[in-house]
Amino acid sequence: MATLLRKIGLIRLHNRDTEDPKHHHNHRGGGGGQQSASLRGKGGAKSGGHKQQQQQQQQQQQPGGAGDASPGPGKGKGKRAAEPAPRDKPPQPAAGAAGAAGAGGPRERAAGARAGPGPAAAAAAAAAATAGGSLVPAARQQHCTQVRSRRLMKELQDIARLSDRFISVELVDESLFDWNVKLHQVDKDSVLWQDMKETNTEFILLNLTFPDNFPFSPPFMRVLSPRLENGYVLDGGAICMELLTPRGWSSAYTVEAVMRQFAASLVKGQGRICRKAGKSKKSFSRKEAEATFKSLVKTHEKYGWVTPPVSDG
């Protein structure tokens, strides 16, 4: 019986506690406080983490700031500490003087430029120049030969088409660069023409040799036969004409134009066929003609293309 009463009492006490509004209020209040405190704690943690992230971004954007010096958590402090700063890096061995000059700052590069290339670079440049130097003259000579050949072939074709048969050409030993030119006509009112008729001379024979850089340099031209006097024809058959000198020559001159000028100078200079005994049979020589031509060029360079003093020949 007593036990039963005690159970009943306990049941009433439990019911009273569960039905007490204050008990329910305190219970709900305590739970809500804990939930709101938890939410506030989470929100504070989020806002604190967001602010910390913003501060880290600002420090990284600032040059030379604390963010560059001290890495954030979990970014490998030991790796950054092991790497030396750019100014502390040991200098790398350069391949040449140019690399050493380019690796430094503006002052170092300027000093390297003033000092010039190093021995290795200079030796490489000299080797390249030596290797290329042997090729340049060969290529240039080949180009000059092609230009000269094309020009002379055109000259031959133009002379072959002349209607008045003023001149004719024969190649010496089939060489395109060595011509024997026959001058068939001079002024028919001149004494030279009369001499040609009286001596049965059909033409005046001349020799033209063309240098490697023709048409940019003049040909060497001399009289072979007959032996002429005056008419600007000198010893050895050399011809005194300004256009045959390097100073008076132009690449626009053709062989036909040169021969017409020569025919005119013969008449102007009162050229005659030599009829003196013994002397008329003596032929002109190339060696004598070359020596005479060099001498007259020096004389005219000194006095200009006027009549020089008799003492100078």
Side-chain angles (χ1 to χ4, degrees):
M1 189 64 179
T3 305
L4 181 60
L5 291 176
R6 283 196 298 271
K7 289 182 179 180
I8 292 172
L10 292 172
I11 292 171
R12 288 180 178 177
L13 289 174
H14 175 72
N15 291 338
R16 186 186 61 184
D17 293 337
T18 56
E19 293 177 359
D20 191 357
K22 293 182 178 180
H23 176 77
H24 288 286
H25 177 71
N26 292 335
H27 181 73
R28 286 193 301 269
Q34 293 177 357
Q35 185 175 4
S36 61
S38 176
L39 292 175
R40 283 195 303 271
K42 292 180 179 181
K46 290 182 179 181
S47 62
H50 181 67
K51 290 181 180 180
Q52 184 178 4
Q53 185 177 3
Q54 288 181 348
Q55 291 177 358
Q56 291 178 357
Q57 291 177 356
Q58 291 177 359
Q59 291 176 356
Q60 292 176 359
Q61 291 177 357
Q62 293 177 357
D68 295 338
S70 57
K75 297 240 178 143
K77 294 182 181 180
K79 183 178 180 179
R80 285 182 175 257
E83 294 179 356
R87 60 186 179 184
D88 296 331
K89 288 183 178 180
Q92 299 294 331
R107 294 182 179 178
E108 288 78 359
R109 288 194 296 269
R114 288 193 299 269
T130 303
S134 59
L135 298 178
V136 171
R140 183 177 180 182
Q141 184 177 3
Q142 182 179 5
H143 175 70
C144 292
T145 302
Q146 293 176 354
V147 172
R148 180 175 57 160
S149 301
R150 288 195 297 264
R151 174 64 179 270
L152 292 177
M153 289 296 295
K154 184 179 184 302
E155 295 270 4
L156 286 174
Q157 294 173 1
D158 294 342
I159 292 173
R161 288 195 292 263
L162 290 177
S163 59
D164 58 354
R165 199 172 177 267
F166 172 65
I167 57 174
S168 61
V169 176
E170 294 179 356
L171 301 183
V172 179
D173 297 330
E174 301 299 325
S175 174
L176 184 61
F177 312 125
D178 193 357
W179 293 8
N180 280 344
V181 181
K182 296 178 180 180
L183 175 62
H184 297 280
Q185 299 178 15
V186 294
D187 187 358
K188 294 182 180 181
D189 295 331
S190 65
V191 293
L192 180 59
W193 178 257
Q194 295 299 323
D195 288 346
M196 292 176 67
K197 289 297 183 182
E198 293 176 1
T199 57
N200 295 323
T201 303
E202 297 181 359
F203 52 81
I204 298 174
L205 183 63
L206 300 97
N207 177 259
L208 279 76
T209 53
F210 301 91
D212 294 340
N213 55 346
F214 179 84
F216 306 106
S217 292
F220 179 68
M221 177 171 150
R222 64 190 181 99
V223 177
L224 295 181
S225 65
R227 191 176 184 91
L228 300 177
E229 295 178 335
N230 301 325
Y232 303 103
V233 178
L234 306 179
D235 295 341
I239 301 170
C240 182
M241 289 175 57
E242 183 180 8
L243 64 83
L244 292 177
T245 64
R247 180 177 295 182
W249 175 256
S250 172
S251 60
Y253 293 154
T254 62
V255 173
E256 179 191 354
V258 171
M259 294 302 298
R260 291 190 183 276
Q261 181 66 28
F262 170 68
S265 68
L266 279 177
V267 174
K268 182 180 178 181
Q270 299 295 316
R272 301 291 300 268
I273 295 178
C274 181
R275 300 185 185 185
K276 294 178 181 179
K279 190 174 182 181
S280 61
K281 296 182 180 180
K282 185 180 179 180
S283 61
F284 291 129
S285 67
R286 180 183 180 89
K287 184 177 180 181
E288 186 179 7
E290 290 177 347
T292 303
F293 185 75
K294 290 179 181 179
S295 176
L296 73 88
V297 168
K298 291 181 180 179
T299 301
H300 285 293
E301 285 180 352
K302 181 178 179 181
Y303 296 101
W305 282 91
V306 295
T307 303
V310 179
S311 60
D312 288 343

